[in-house]
Amino acid sequence: MEAKLNIVKKESQISDNPYQQLIGSLMYLADLTRPDIAYSVGYLSQFNNCHNSEHWYYAKRVLRYLKGSKNVGLKYCKDGNVDIQGYVDSDWGSNSVDRKSYSGFCFMLSGSVISWGCRKQKTVALSSTEAEYMALTEGCREAVYLKNLQNEITKRLYTIVLYNDNQGAKKLSANPMFHNRTKHIDIRYHYCREVICNKIVKVDFLPTDDMPADMFTKSLVLVKHRKFMNMMGIVNVL
């Protein structure tokens, strides 16, 4: 997608194009083997019931991208890192309609991603720290699931490192004390504090320029898009 693309919703569906069918097919692909289109497909899926020729154009743009990168896939290495590492990121209020933020995360094992996701947050964040904190909770939930799954298979126990690019969110997740600026945050988002306190997950800082989960929160310029693809092991496999 174009960087900083902003499409508005229409009052009703005014197009006869098979937009919904195309988005459904792209979503299937994004969930299985192509995390590099996950954000674009998730963004375009918001217009399933209110699309027109403009939305159809951008959906076909994703198809053109896939045609030009049909040899790209997930490449795993048997001598890669056997410890799961996670990356979580969030934008802040990029949606011009409801001003809600997007959360994105990915987890890597043996040189490539094994789990990823991006979704719009349920509530409006009042600051970038709050948006990152809510995204951190989503990442911790996935980390607990992956850790239990790996432990069931390999019987290995260790603390999963979850990288975040916001120092404020990192400090907030590690401090269970009451804060006047966070008293409005829903209880469900404080789940990450318990996970971190029990040493199931450890949160570390990673600069934004090296944060591959940034791909799941916004559309990027070509250079950053390809950089994060390589970091996640999404490379030419033929």
Side-chain angles (χ1 to χ4, degrees):
M1 294 177 61
E2 296 177 6
K4 299 181 180 181
L5 179 66
N6 185 23
I7 311 176
V8 297
K9 290 186 177 182
K10 302 299 179 181
E11 294 182 358
S12 60
Q13 180 175 335
I14 55 177
S15 174
D16 295 330
N17 297 318
Y19 184 84
Q20 295 179 350
Q21 292 87 338
L22 175 57
I23 295 300
S25 299
L26 292 176
M27 192 170 294
Y28 177 80
L29 186 60
D31 287 341
L32 290 181
T33 58
R34 293 301 297 265
D36 51 322
I37 66 170
Y39 171 77
S40 300
V41 176
Y43 182 84
L44 293 172
S45 66
Q46 300 177 85
F47 310 103
N48 276 339
N49 296 322
C50 51
H51 57 83
N52 61 6
S53 58
E54 180 185 14
H55 305 92
W56 177 244
Y57 167 79
Y58 286 108
K60 291 192 296 181
R61 180 188 172 106
V62 179
L63 286 179
R64 290 195 296 269
Y65 168 76
L66 290 173
K67 181 179 180 180
S69 58
K70 59 184 178 181
N71 295 331
V72 169
L74 305 178
K75 184 176 182 180
Y76 299 93
C77 305
K78 63 179 181 180
D79 56 346
N81 192 352
V82 295
D83 290 345
I84 297 175
Q85 291 182 326
Y87 303 86
V88 61
D89 193 22
S90 173
D91 70 337
W92 180 36
S94 63
N95 191 294
S96 60
V97 178
D98 53 20
R99 306 310 294 181
K100 292 183 179 179
S101 307
Y102 286 87
S103 299
F105 63 83
C106 63
F107 290 84
M108 297 188 60
L109 180 68
S110 297
S112 190
V113 287
I114 59 171
S115 177
W116 58 87
C118 62
R119 58 184 62 95
K120 186 189 291 186
Q121 296 179 355
K122 298 182 181 297
T123 58
V124 177
L126 302 183
S127 65
S128 59
T129 296
E130 185 178 330
E132 295 280 357
Y133 182 72
M134 291 192 287
L136 197 59
T137 298
E138 297 291 336
C140 286
R141 292 170 56 191
E142 187 71 12
V144 171
Y145 164 73
L146 293 175
K147 180 175 181 178
N148 292 336
L149 179 62
Q150 189 182 42
N151 179 46
E152 183 177 344
I153 298 173
T154 65
K155 306 302 180 183
R156 295 185 67 248
L157 287 175
Y158 61 94
T159 300
I160 293 181
V161 179
L162 189 60
Y163 291 100
N164 169 265
D165 64 355
N166 188 286
Q167 293 280 19
K170 176 184 176 182
K171 294 178 180 179
L172 186 61
S173 64
N175 187 0
M177 300 298 292
F178 173 80
H179 295 270
N180 187 48
R181 293 185 178 181
T182 60
K183 61 183 180 181
H184 62 282
I185 298 179
D186 198 348
I187 295 176
R188 69 191 301 268
Y189 296 116
H190 295 304
Y191 169 75
C192 63
R193 291 179 174 176
E194 178 183 358
V195 174
I196 295 171
C197 182
N198 293 335
K199 298 182 178 180
I200 300 175
V201 171
K202 175 185 177 183
V203 178
D204 277 346
F205 176 76
L206 188 68
T208 302
D209 291 339
D210 299 322
M211 172 57 67
D214 197 31
M215 178 185 291
F216 300 103
T217 63
K218 61 180 73 71
S219 53
L220 303 173
V221 296
L222 181 61
V223 175
K224 293 190 69 174
H225 184 82
R226 288 181 174 175
K227 174 184 177 180
F228 293 148
M229 284 180 63
N230 290 330
M231 290 181 63
M232 290 191 292
I234 310 172
V235 297
N236 194 324
V237 295
L238 296 182

mmCIF file of all heavy atoms in Angstrom, residues 76-115:
data_model
loop_
_atom_site.group_PDB
_atom_site.id
_atom_site.type_symbol
_atom_site.label_atom_id
_atom_site.label_comp_id
_atom_site.label_asym_id
_atom_site.label_seq_id
_atom_site.Cartn_x
_atom_site.Cartn_y
_atom_site.Cartn_z
ATOM 1 N N TYR A 76 12.858 -21.177 6.824
ATOM 2 C CA TYR A 76 13.306 -21.577 8.156
ATOM 3 C C TYR A 76 14.649 -22.294 8.062
ATOM 4 O O TYR A 76 14.924 -22.976 7.069
ATOM 5 C CB TYR A 76 12.277 -22.494 8.823
ATOM 6 C CG TYR A 76 10.929 -21.845 9.015
ATOM 7 C CD1 TYR A 76 9.922 -21.994 8.056
ATOM 8 C CD2 TYR A 76 10.655 -21.082 10.140
ATOM 9 C CE1 TYR A 76 8.689 -21.397 8.218
ATOM 10 C CE2 TYR A 76 9.418 -20.484 10.318
ATOM 11 C CZ TYR A 76 8.443 -20.648 9.353
ATOM 12 O OH TYR A 76 7.226 -20.056 9.518
ATOM 13 N N CYS A 77 15.470 -22.149 9.095
ATOM 14 C CA CYS A 77 16.797 -22.774 9.143
ATOM 15 C C CYS A 77 16.881 -23.681 10.360
ATOM 16 O O CYS A 77 16.553 -23.255 11.473
ATOM 17 C CB CYS A 77 17.891 -21.707 9.205
ATOM 18 S SG CYS A 77 17.836 -20.484 7.889
ATOM 19 N N LYS A 78 17.335 -24.911 10.154
ATOM 20 C CA LYS A 78 17.384 -25.838 11.280
ATOM 21 C C LYS A 78 18.464 -25.470 12.292
ATOM 22 O O LYS A 78 18.421 -25.914 13.442
ATOM 23 C CB LYS A 78 17.628 -27.263 10.771
ATOM 24 C CG LYS A 78 18.962 -27.476 10.064
ATOM 25 C CD LYS A 78 19.094 -28.921 9.632
ATOM 26 C CE LYS A 78 20.425 -29.187 8.935
ATOM 27 N NZ LYS A 78 20.550 -30.599 8.511
ATOM 28 N N ASP A 79 19.434 -24.644 11.876
ATOM 29 C CA ASP A 79 20.458 -24.196 12.804
ATOM 30 C C ASP A 79 20.179 -22.788 13.322
ATOM 31 O O ASP A 79 21.052 -22.127 13.877
ATOM 32 C CB ASP A 79 21.841 -24.214 12.132
ATOM 33 C CG ASP A 79 21.877 -23.376 10.858
ATOM 34 O OD1 ASP A 79 20.791 -23.026 10.371
ATOM 35 O OD2 ASP A 79 22.982 -23.103 10.365
ATOM 36 N N GLY A 80 18.936 -22.331 13.159
ATOM 37 C CA GLY A 80 18.566 -21.007 13.637
ATOM 38 C C GLY A 80 18.284 -20.995 15.129
ATOM 39 O O GLY A 80 18.435 -22.011 15.832
ATOM 40 N N ASN A 81 17.871 -19.850 15.627
ATOM 41 C CA ASN A 81 17.578 -19.681 17.048
ATOM 42 C C ASN A 81 16.390 -20.554 17.450
ATOM 43 O O ASN A 81 15.316 -20.478 16.849
ATOM 44 C CB ASN A 81 17.285 -18.207 17.344
ATOM 45 C CG ASN A 81 17.252 -17.912 18.832
ATOM 46 O OD1 ASN A 81 17.298 -18.814 19.664
ATOM 47 N ND2 ASN A 81 17.179 -16.636 19.169
ATOM 48 N N VAL A 82 16.567 -21.392 18.484
ATOM 49 C CA VAL A 82 15.500 -22.283 18.927
ATOM 50 C C VAL A 82 14.649 -21.650 20.016
ATOM 51 O O VAL A 82 13.711 -22.282 20.515
ATOM 52 C CB VAL A 82 16.086 -23.622 19.434
ATOM 53 C CG1 VAL A 82 16.753 -24.368 18.305
ATOM 54 C CG2 VAL A 82 17.058 -23.395 20.591
ATOM 55 N N ASP A 83 14.974 -20.423 20.405
ATOM 56 C CA ASP A 83 14.169 -19.691 21.380
ATOM 57 C C ASP A 83 13.231 -18.739 20.640
ATOM 58 O O ASP A 83 13.642 -18.027 19.730
ATOM 59 C CB ASP A 83 15.048 -18.890 22.343
ATOM 60 C CG ASP A 83 15.827 -19.776 23.295
ATOM 61 O OD1 ASP A 83 15.475 -20.969 23.410
ATOM 62 O OD2 ASP A 83 16.779 -19.282 23.922
ATOM 63 N N ILE A 84 11.987 -18.725 21.049
ATOM 64 C CA ILE A 84 11.013 -17.842 20.430
ATOM 65 C C ILE A 84 11.291 -16.398 20.848
ATOM 66 O O ILE A 84 11.504 -16.109 22.022
ATOM 67 C CB ILE A 84 9.586 -18.241 20.828
ATOM 68 C CG1 ILE A 84 9.266 -19.652 20.324
ATOM 69 C CG2 ILE A 84 8.569 -17.243 20.290
ATOM 70 C CD1 ILE A 84 7.917 -20.171 20.777
ATOM 71 N N GLN A 85 11.295 -15.508 19.886
ATOM 72 C CA GLN A 85 11.443 -14.081 20.138
ATOM 73 C C GLN A 85 10.245 -13.338 19.547
ATOM 74 O O GLN A 85 9.787 -13.663 18.453
ATOM 75 C CB GLN A 85 12.737 -13.537 19.527
ATOM 76 C CG GLN A 85 14.000 -14.038 20.211
ATOM 77 C CD GLN A 85 15.246 -13.428 19.609
ATOM 78 O OE1 GLN A 85 15.299 -13.179 18.406
ATOM 79 N NE2 GLN A 85 16.246 -13.181 20.436
ATOM 80 N N GLY A 86 9.756 -12.375 20.295
ATOM 81 C CA GLY A 86 8.570 -11.647 19.851
ATOM 82 C C GLY A 86 8.833 -10.169 19.630
ATOM 83 O O GLY A 86 9.746 -9.588 20.247
ATOM 84 N N TYR A 87 8.052 -9.578 18.756
ATOM 85 C CA TYR A 87 8.133 -8.152 18.459
ATOM 86 C C TYR A 87 6.710 -7.597 18.447
ATOM 87 O O TYR A 87 5.822 -8.185 17.805
ATOM 88 C CB TYR A 87 8.802 -7.906 17.111
ATOM 89 C CG TYR A 87 10.182 -8.498 16.991
ATOM 90 C CD1 TYR A 87 10.362 -9.827 16.591
ATOM 91 C CD2 TYR A 87 11.315 -7.752 17.281
ATOM 92 C CE1 TYR A 87 11.627 -10.383 16.494
ATOM 93 C CE2 TYR A 87 12.586 -8.287 17.175
ATOM 94 C CZ TYR A 87 12.727 -9.604 16.782
ATOM 95 O OH TYR A 87 13.987 -10.152 16.690
ATOM 96 N N VAL A 88 6.507 -6.502 19.129
ATOM 97 C CA VAL A 88 5.170 -5.910 19.207
ATOM 98 C C VAL A 88 5.279 -4.408 18.998
ATOM 99 O O VAL A 88 6.227 -3.769 19.453
ATOM 100 C CB VAL A 88 4.495 -6.237 20.561
ATOM 101 C CG1 VAL A 88 5.307 -5.681 21.716
ATOM 102 C CG2 VAL A 88 3.076 -5.731 20.600
ATOM 103 N N ASP A 89 4.308 -3.862 18.267
ATOM 104 C CA ASP A 89 4.354 -2.441 17.958
ATOM 105 C C ASP A 89 2.929 -1.917 17.797
ATOM 106 O O ASP A 89 1.973 -2.689 17.675
ATOM 107 C CB ASP A 89 5.149 -2.208 16.672
ATOM 108 C CG ASP A 89 5.502 -0.744 16.464
ATOM 109 O OD1 ASP A 89 5.522 0.004 17.454
ATOM 110 O OD2 ASP A 89 5.734 -0.343 15.314
ATOM 111 N N SER A 90 2.808 -0.613 17.783
ATOM 112 C CA SER A 90 1.518 0.026 17.597
ATOM 113 C C SER A 90 1.727 1.398 16.982
ATOM 114 O O SER A 90 2.753 2.040 17.204
ATOM 115 C CB SER A 90 0.785 0.156 18.938
ATOM 116 O OG SER A 90 -0.396 0.918 18.801
ATOM 117 N N ASP A 91 0.770 1.823 16.187
ATOM 118 C CA ASP A 91 0.758 3.217 15.773
ATOM 119 C C ASP A 91 -0.100 3.978 16.789
ATOM 120 O O ASP A 91 -0.491 3.436 17.818
ATOM 121 C CB ASP A 91 0.208 3.362 14.357
ATOM 122 C CG ASP A 91 -1.287 3.077 14.315
ATOM 123 O OD1 ASP A 91 -1.789 2.370 15.208
ATOM 124 O OD2 ASP A 91 -1.957 3.557 13.392
ATOM 125 N N TRP A 92 -0.431 5.197 16.502
ATOM 126 C CA TRP A 92 -1.279 5.947 17.427
ATOM 127 C C TRP A 92 -2.300 6.768 16.653
ATOM 128 O O TRP A 92 -1.962 7.726 15.984
ATOM 129 C CB TRP A 92 -0.443 6.866 18.321
ATOM 130 C CG TRP A 92 -1.263 7.667 19.299
ATOM 131 C CD1 TRP A 92 -2.388 7.234 19.948
ATOM 132 C CD2 TRP A 92 -1.062 9.012 19.719
ATOM 133 N NE1 TRP A 92 -2.888 8.222 20.753
ATOM 134 C CE2 TRP A 92 -2.092 9.338 20.642
ATOM 135 C CE3 TRP A 92 -0.097 9.980 19.424
ATOM 136 C CZ2 TRP A 92 -2.193 10.571 21.249
ATOM 137 C CZ3 TRP A 92 -0.203 11.222 20.042
ATOM 138 C CH2 TRP A 92 -1.226 11.507 20.939
ATOM 139 N N GLY A 93 -3.544 6.336 16.732
ATOM 140 C CA GLY A 93 -4.661 7.085 16.179
ATOM 141 C C GLY A 93 -4.582 7.367 14.699
ATOM 142 O O GLY A 93 -4.997 8.439 14.252
ATOM 143 N N SER A 94 -4.073 6.421 13.930
ATOM 144 C CA SER A 94 -3.903 6.681 12.499
ATOM 145 C C SER A 94 -5.213 6.638 11.730
ATOM 146 O O SER A 94 -5.301 7.183 10.629
ATOM 147 C CB SER A 94 -2.925 5.662 11.902
ATOM 148 O OG SER A 94 -3.446 4.350 12.009
ATOM 149 N N ASN A 95 -6.232 5.976 12.266
ATOM 150 C CA ASN A 95 -7.510 5.906 11.576
ATOM 151 C C ASN A 95 -8.222 7.248 11.694
ATOM 152 O O ASN A 95 -8.567 7.699 12.786
ATOM 153 C CB ASN A 95 -8.368 4.786 12.169
ATOM 154 C CG ASN A 95 -9.584 4.493 11.317
ATOM 155 O OD1 ASN A 95 -10.483 5.312 11.176
ATOM 156 N ND2 ASN A 95 -9.611 3.308 10.734
ATOM 157 N N SER A 96 -8.452 7.897 10.577
ATOM 158 C CA SER A 96 -9.015 9.250 10.586
ATOM 159 C C SER A 96 -10.490 9.275 10.933
ATOM 160 O O SER A 96 -11.037 10.336 11.244
ATOM 161 C CB SER A 96 -8.802 9.906 9.220
ATOM 162 O OG SER A 96 -9.446 9.155 8.195
ATOM 163 N N VAL A 97 -11.169 8.128 10.902
ATOM 164 C CA VAL A 97 -12.604 8.074 11.173
ATOM 165 C C VAL A 97 -12.884 7.964 12.666
ATOM 166 O O VAL A 97 -13.575 8.792 13.251
ATOM 167 C CB VAL A 97 -13.263 6.907 10.411
ATOM 168 C CG1 VAL A 97 -14.747 6.825 10.730
ATOM 169 C CG2 VAL A 97 -13.054 7.062 8.920
ATOM 170 N N ASP A 98 -12.336 6.930 13.312
ATOM 171 C CA ASP A 98 -12.605 6.718 14.737
ATOM 172 C C ASP A 98 -11.389 6.966 15.622
ATOM 173 O O ASP A 98 -11.478 6.825 16.838
ATOM 174 C CB ASP A 98 -13.133 5.298 14.977
ATOM 175 C CG ASP A 98 -12.226 4.229 14.381
ATOM 176 O OD1 ASP A 98 -11.037 4.510 14.121
ATOM 177 O OD2 ASP A 98 -12.702 3.107 14.165
ATOM 178 N N ARG A 99 -10.235 7.301 15.031
ATOM 179 C CA ARG A 99 -8.995 7.626 15.741
ATOM 180 C C ARG A 99 -8.496 6.476 16.611
ATOM 181 O O ARG A 99 -7.805 6.704 17.605
ATOM 182 C CB ARG A 99 -9.177 8.873 16.603
ATOM 183 C CG ARG A 99 -9.696 10.083 15.863
ATOM 184 C CD ARG A 99 -8.906 10.377 14.601
ATOM 185 N NE ARG A 99 -7.535 10.771 14.880
ATOM 186 C CZ ARG A 99 -6.653 11.098 13.950
ATOM 187 N NH1 ARG A 99 -7.001 11.052 12.671
ATOM 188 N NH2 ARG A 99 -5.444 11.443 14.273
ATOM 189 N N LYS A 100 -8.826 5.267 16.251
ATOM 190 C CA LYS A 100 -8.314 4.115 16.976
ATOM 191 C C LYS A 100 -6.964 3.693 16.402
ATOM 192 O O LYS A 100 -6.680 3.932 15.231
ATOM 193 C CB LYS A 100 -9.305 2.954 16.919
ATOM 194 C CG LYS A 100 -10.588 3.218 17.696
ATOM 195 C CD LYS A 100 -11.516 2.030 17.670
ATOM 196 C CE LYS A 100 -12.785 2.311 18.464
ATOM 197 N NZ LYS A 100 -13.731 1.165 18.426
ATOM 198 N N SER A 101 -6.168 3.061 17.235
ATOM 199 C CA SER A 101 -4.817 2.651 16.844
ATOM 200 C C SER A 101 -4.812 1.196 16.391
ATOM 201 O O SER A 101 -5.754 0.435 16.642
ATOM 202 C CB SER A 101 -3.853 2.841 18.019
ATOM 203 O OG SER A 101 -3.926 4.150 18.532
ATOM 204 N N TYR A 102 -3.713 0.799 15.751
ATOM 205 C CA TYR A 102 -3.529 -0.572 15.299
ATOM 206 C C TYR A 102 -2.433 -1.243 16.121
ATOM 207 O O TYR A 102 -1.393 -0.632 16.398
ATOM 208 C CB TYR A 102 -3.144 -0.622 13.821
ATOM 209 C CG TYR A 102 -4.279 -0.337 12.876
ATOM 210 C CD1 TYR A 102 -4.587 0.964 12.505
ATOM 211 C CD2 TYR A 102 -5.058 -1.367 12.362
ATOM 212 C CE1 TYR A 102 -5.636 1.234 11.644
ATOM 213 C CE2 TYR A 102 -6.106 -1.106 11.497
ATOM 214 C CZ TYR A 102 -6.391 0.191 11.137
ATOM 215 O OH TYR A 102 -7.438 0.460 10.286
ATOM 216 N N SER A 103 -2.677 -2.485 16.512
ATOM 217 C CA SER A 103 -1.673 -3.292 17.197
ATOM 218 C C SER A 103 -1.126 -4.329 16.230
ATOM 219 O O SER A 103 -1.875 -4.884 15.415
ATOM 220 C CB SER A 103 -2.276 -4.005 18.417
ATOM 221 O OG SER A 103 -2.765 -3.083 19.358
ATOM 222 N N GLY A 104 0.159 -4.590 16.328
ATOM 223 C CA GLY A 104 0.779 -5.598 15.483
ATOM 224 C C GLY A 104 1.846 -6.354 16.242
ATOM 225 O O GLY A 104 2.530 -5.778 17.095
ATOM 226 N N PHE A 105 1.962 -7.650 15.973
ATOM 227 C CA PHE A 105 2.990 -8.454 16.628
ATOM 228 C C PHE A 105 3.433 -9.570 15.696
ATOM 229 O O PHE A 105 2.711 -9.960 14.764
ATOM 230 C CB PHE A 105 2.478 -9.057 17.947
ATOM 231 C CG PHE A 105 1.332 -10.025 17.784
ATOM 232 C CD1 PHE A 105 1.546 -11.354 17.462
ATOM 233 C CD2 PHE A 105 0.019 -9.602 17.964
ATOM 234 C CE1 PHE A 105 0.494 -12.247 17.309
ATOM 235 C CE2 PHE A 105 -1.047 -10.475 17.814
ATOM 236 C CZ PHE A 105 -0.806 -11.800 17.489
ATOM 237 N N CYS A 106 4.628 -10.069 15.949
ATOM 238 C CA CYS A 106 5.119 -11.251 15.243
ATOM 239 C C CYS A 106 6.098 -11.982 16.147
ATOM 240 O O CYS A 106 6.759 -11.364 16.987
ATOM 241 C CB CYS A 106 5.773 -10.881 13.909
ATOM 242 S SG CYS A 106 7.250 -9.848 14.043
ATOM 243 N N PHE A 107 6.179 -13.289 15.983
ATOM 244 C CA PHE A 107 7.083 -14.127 16.770
ATOM 245 C C PHE A 107 7.924 -14.962 15.818
ATOM 246 O O PHE A 107 7.401 -15.510 14.844
ATOM 247 C CB PHE A 107 6.299 -15.031 17.724
ATOM 248 C CG PHE A 107 5.645 -14.284 18.853
ATOM 249 C CD1 PHE A 107 4.411 -13.684 18.674
ATOM 250 C CD2 PHE A 107 6.285 -14.157 20.077
ATOM 251 C CE1 PHE A 107 3.809 -12.981 19.711
ATOM 252 C CE2 PHE A 107 5.690 -13.461 21.114
ATOM 253 C CZ PHE A 107 4.453 -12.872 20.935
ATOM 254 N N MET A 108 9.208 -15.040 16.116
ATOM 255 C CA MET A 108 10.153 -15.712 15.235
ATOM 256 C C MET A 108 10.771 -16.928 15.902
ATOM 257 O O MET A 108 10.991 -16.955 17.112
ATOM 258 C CB MET A 108 11.254 -14.732 14.807
ATOM 259 C CG MET A 108 10.756 -13.566 13.994
ATOM 260 S SD MET A 108 12.088 -12.550 13.316
ATOM 261 C CE MET A 108 12.955 -13.750 12.307
ATOM 262 N N LEU A 109 11.056 -17.929 15.082
ATOM 263 C CA LEU A 109 11.704 -19.152 15.527
ATOM 264 C C LEU A 109 12.428 -19.764 14.338
ATOM 265 O O LEU A 109 11.863 -19.846 13.249
ATOM 266 C CB LEU A 109 10.680 -20.139 16.101
ATOM 267 C CG LEU A 109 11.206 -21.477 16.602
ATOM 268 C CD1 LEU A 109 12.061 -21.276 17.852
ATOM 269 C CD2 LEU A 109 10.052 -22.434 16.918
ATOM 270 N N SER A 110 13.678 -20.135 14.539
ATOM 271 C CA SER A 110 14.477 -20.770 13.488
ATOM 272 C C SER A 110 14.592 -19.897 12.242
ATOM 273 O O SER A 110 14.527 -20.379 11.118
ATOM 274 C CB SER A 110 13.899 -22.142 13.115
ATOM 275 O OG SER A 110 13.944 -23.008 14.222
ATOM 276 N N GLY A 111 14.727 -18.616 12.450
ATOM 277 C CA GLY A 111 15.026 -17.727 11.339
ATOM 278 C C GLY A 111 13.863 -17.127 10.600
ATOM 279 O O GLY A 111 14.064 -16.371 9.642
ATOM 280 N N SER A 112 12.621 -17.421 11.004
ATOM 281 C CA SER A 112 11.473 -16.857 10.308
ATOM 282 C C SER A 112 10.287 -16.752 11.253
ATOM 283 O O SER A 112 10.321 -17.273 12.368
ATOM 284 C CB SER A 112 11.103 -17.698 9.088
ATOM 285 O OG SER A 112 10.150 -17.033 8.290
ATOM 286 N N VAL A 113 9.247 -16.089 10.805
ATOM 287 C CA VAL A 113 8.084 -15.878 11.662
ATOM 288 C C VAL A 113 7.221 -17.138 11.730
ATOM 289 O O VAL A 113 7.065 -17.858 10.740
ATOM 290 C CB VAL A 113 7.237 -14.692 11.160
ATOM 291 C CG1 VAL A 113 7.917 -13.377 11.448
ATOM 292 C CG2 VAL A 113 6.931 -14.824 9.678
ATOM 293 N N ILE A 114 6.684 -17.399 12.900
ATOM 294 C CA ILE A 114 5.783 -18.536 13.097
ATOM 295 C C ILE A 114 4.382 -18.082 13.483
ATOM 296 O O ILE A 114 3.433 -18.855 13.402
ATOM 297 C CB ILE A 114 6.315 -19.500 14.169
ATOM 298 C CG1 ILE A 114 6.489 -18.760 15.495
ATOM 299 C CG2 ILE A 114 7.639 -20.121 13.723
ATOM 300 C CD1 ILE A 114 6.813 -19.685 16.671
ATOM 301 N N SER A 115 4.275 -16.842 13.928
ATOM 302 C CA SER A 115 2.971 -16.310 14.313
ATOM 303 C C SER A 115 2.986 -14.800 14.133
ATOM 304 O O SER A 115 3.979 -14.145 14.431
ATOM 305 C CB SER A 115 2.651 -16.666 15.772
ATOM 306 O OG SER A 115 1.417 -16.105 16.174
#
